[in-house]
Each structure stands twice: as structure tokens, then as C-alpha cells.
Amino acid sequence: MPQLYIGIMSGTSLDGIDLVLADFTSKPNLLSRCLLPFPASLQRELRSLAEPGDNEVERIGPVEYQLTECYAAGVKQLLQHANYQPELISAVGCHGQTIRHRPSQAQPFTMQLGNMHLLAALTGIRVIADFRRKDMAYGGQGAPLVPAFHQAFFARAGQNRAVVNIGGIANISLLHANGSITGYDTGPGNCLMDDWVSLHRQQPYDKDGVFSAEGKLLPRLLQQLLSDPFFQQRGPKSTGREYFHLPWLQQQLTGQEAPADVQRTLCRFTALSIANELQLPNLSEVFVCGGGVHHPVLMADLQQLLTPAKVKSSSSEGLDPDWVEAMAFAWLAQAFDQQRPGNVPAVTGARKACVLGIEYRP
């Protein structure tokens, strides 16, 4: 029987919903994919809910319903494009939309929006979701969860490799030559650059790195950003947009900086916060996935900082960089069905490896 799974990921960059149809019968095979942009009103509401505000419970209800309808529409579009019927799909692995992630509090919690009962009803397909809280119940950060998939796909015996996912937040997976794995969130990926270019250029992201390329580095600001306590912590650690957001950045500024100079500095800030965590002896290759792979200034910064390791797109290993996270949540749904652990305790800090997820039947 084919092992067909759908993965749904909508991340902290809030650029839309990534959906993939994957075949895990042998090695992971991406059969079809689609990106469903958020309606502007939903994107605004999700961005607002990612930061503390008023009357959040009343606002969550309709936002979650609309978000789930978008997930279901994306599944329908994906299956139509691939010419598959819903009954052929084993399950949908859905991450949900994170609006709060507080793993370091005395009573840690994480919250992802998405009515998974409704998603199962609308699609007619089993849904596996709520992947993070089981890990947190055993003392883990609940993030990042993608390294288990990175290990399955990218690890090579006898080689020190790394995988860097640069979405809204950046995370790394260190794939050691001896077969062990470590990893964690390194800090902002694209989120601050996206917020800044949106504020000053009314663009959703810094397309082709044009805005960054116009500016020059501001060393004082760069050091100030890197002095945040988050960067002094050792892994396991995780973070989100509720921590690194536009007001956090604006508190660091004098108001006299040229906008393009701030953008260039944010680009270097992302690169340095990643590279500082990848100073491994004999690191041979670094595979980049997520939206950051399309930012040429960021990729050039990473290559400069990580030489002699070669910085490459994950496409060099046959995996499209735009769909790695969605593939990972399809893989986690399969792991649930096979009762395989989906977390890596060395990455999240959990006391044990756990089967992750909850099943929702139509």
C-alpha cells in the first residue's frame, strides 16, 4: 500500500500555508505542493494575535475557524492538482498556526490555532496534529521538531553536516559524523527583515535582497541586537514572533538610522546568529531551506561566515527548500501512525523520546 500523507505548515513568517503531498513508501518523495496565501484580513489578525492584546479569546474563535477553512481549501486544491482522491490519503499532518510559544516559563505552554475536528470533517481525511505539547509535557521546548526529519533525510555516516531552516524564526540541525543530532532555534530568520521592509517599502518581504543590498552595516546596532539574553543561552532553546517582533527592534534604534542600513544590519544579524551556532570542527556542508534561501545577501553572508564549509540549498540533496517543513509534518503524521518517536530529546530537552500528535477522525 502506498504511504501517502499530506503535510500542512503555516509558520511564523505568516506568508501563507504550505501544503505537500508526499509518498513515504520508500524514500520521501514529494508528489505535489501548493502555497495558499493568507487573505489579507486573516494575516493581519494572526499577526496581531501573535502579540499580547485585548479580548484575545473572542478574537481567536472566528480566526481559528477561518484559518481551518483555508487549510481545507488548500487540501482540496492540492488533491485536485495531483489528481488524487481523499480516500487514498493516509492522513494529514497539520502543524497549526503558532500564536504563542512560552517554553521557558515556570508553567510552560505553546498554542497553535486550528480546529482539527473541523479540518477532518471538511476534508474527509484523518488529521494528526498537536505535535508540540507532548514534548513539553516531558520537559522539552516543544521545538524545533523538524530535526528528526532532517536526520532521516540529510544525515550521512562519517560526515559533520548541518541543516538550517530560515523561516520567520531560524533553526538548525547539527548532524554529527557519529550519528548523533543536536539542534535548536537560533533566533530571528526572516521575521524582522519582513517587518522592516513592510514598514518602509510596503512589501511583504525583501525580494531578492534588494533592500538589504542598498544599505551598509551598522556595527553598533549589530552588537546591540546580538547582546539580547536569548543569544547567551545554550540549547535546547526555542523562540518565536512573540519575542522577536517589530517593537523589540524599534526599542534598539535611535531613530536616526537610514532604513536600508537597518535592513542590511538585520540581514547580517540573522546570518551571524546562525553562524555563531555552527562553529563545528570539520563541518563539511550546510544545507539551507525555508524562505531565507532566496535572499542572496543572506546566503552570501552565511557562506562568508561559515567558510570552508559549503553553504548550499537543500535542493542539492533533491529536496525543494520551500517545502521541507511541510514535508516534515507529513513525515511526523506517518511517524504517529507507525508509533515512532517524533522528537529528539537532545534537541528539545525532553526527558524521553515520544510519539507526537493526536488523531482526529472525520
Side-chain angles (χ1 to χ4, degrees):
M1 285 285 292
Q3 295 281 304
L4 302 178
Y5 286 82
I6 289 173
I8 303 178
M9 178 66 193
S10 52
T12 49
S13 60
L14 288 170
D15 55 352
I17 302 165
D18 293 335
L19 300 103
V20 300
L21 173 60
D23 184 353
F24 294 118
T25 307
S26 53
K27 67 176 184 178
N29 183 21
L30 176 61
L31 299 178
S32 185
R33 73 267 194 191
C34 73
L35 169 63
L36 195 67
F38 284 126
S41 60
L42 178 58
Q43 186 184 56
R44 284 194 301 271
E45 286 294 329
L46 289 170
R47 194 177 295 275
S48 175
L49 284 169
E51 299 175 21
D54 296 328
N55 204 22
E56 290 177 322
V57 174
E58 285 292 336
R59 291 159 55 206
I60 281 174
V63 168
E64 184 171 56
Y65 200 100
Q66 186 183 1
L67 173 67
T68 307
E69 288 183 317
C70 288
Y71 286 157
V75 169
K76 181 179 180 180
Q77 180 177 322
L78 181 73
L79 291 177
Q80 285 178 340
H81 181 264
N83 198 25
Y84 278 85
Q85 297 301 312
E87 54 267 25
L88 296 175
I89 309 304
S90 297
V92 173
C94 184
H95 171 264
Q97 181 64 52
T98 299
I99 61 168
R100 208 70 97 247
H101 186 66
R102 304 290 196 198
S104 301
Q105 295 186 168
Q107 292 84 32
F109 73 97
T110 188
M111 181 176 291
Q112 286 76 41
L113 295 188
N115 183 335
M116 302 306 166
H117 288 291
L118 178 61
L119 182 59
L122 291 174
T123 61
I125 305 172
R126 294 168 54 243
V127 175
I128 313 299
D130 193 8
F131 293 101
R132 298 193 184 277
R133 291 194 293 177
K134 182 71 169 286
D135 181 84
M136 293 184 77
Y138 284 93
Q141 293 272 316
L145 296 182
V146 180
F149 175 67
H150 288 166
Q151 184 178 40
F153 194 89
F154 291 98
R156 298 291 183 273
Q159 294 184 34
N160 284 328
R161 290 178 147 196
V163 183
V164 181
N165 175 61
I166 309 177
I169 297 297
N171 58 70
I172 59 172
S173 300
L174 305 174
L175 309 175
H176 299 279
N178 63 6
S180 65
I181 177 174
T182 53
Y184 41 85
D185 288 352
T186 58
N190 302 313
C191 63
L192 294 177
M193 289 190 288
D194 290 350
D195 287 350
W196 191 249
V197 76
S198 176
L199 179 65
H200 289 279
R201 295 286 174 92
Q202 292 73 55
Q203 298 170 356
Y205 63 98
D206 187 6
K207 183 173 173 57
D208 298 325
V210 170
F211 194 19
S212 297
E214 291 176 9
K216 63 179 187 297
L217 284 173
L218 301 174
R220 184 203 61 80
L221 175 60
L222 181 60
Q223 290 308 310
Q224 187 170 331
L225 297 174
L226 287 167
S227 70
D228 186 274
F230 177 82
F231 303 106
Q232 318 314 315
Q233 298 175 32
R234 300 176 66 87
K237 60 181 180 177
S238 58
T239 189
R241 184 179 281 275
E242 72 281 353
Y243 189 99
F244 290 108
H245 47 57
L246 189 58
W248 177 89
L249 170 62
Q250 289 170 323
Q251 290 172 7
Q252 322 282 338
L253 303 176
T254 65
Q256 304 303 309
E257 301 90 350
D261 293 348
V262 174
Q263 186 75 3
R264 179 67 187 93
T265 304
L266 289 174
C267 178
R268 188 73 169 189
F269 170 49
T270 290
L272 260 175
S273 60
I274 294 168
N276 286 345
E277 303 295 340
L278 291 179
Q279 300 304 316
L280 290 177
N282 302 316
L283 179 64
S284 61
E285 294 171 298
V286 177
F287 300 99
V288 182
C289 55
V293 77
H294 303 296
H295 194 299
V297 182
L298 177 57
M299 291 292 284
D301 278 355
L302 284 170
Q303 183 60 80
Q304 181 190 37
L305 292 165
L306 291 169
T307 297
K310 292 181 171 61
V311 177
K312 308 175 180 180
S313 165
S314 64
S315 61
S316 64
E317 293 287 285
L319 194 57
D320 190 312
D322 293 325
W323 309 102
V324 173
E325 281 205 298
M327 282 281 284
F329 282 93
W331 184 85
L332 283 167
Q334 187 210 31
F336 173 89
D337 282 349
Q338 296 185 349
Q339 292 296 284
R340 297 194 319 265
N343 66 335
V344 180
V347 170
T348 67
R351 292 189 294 276
K352 70 173 189 176
C354 309
V355 176
L356 305 180
I358 298 292
E359 180 185 56
Y360 300 81
R361 288 185 173 271

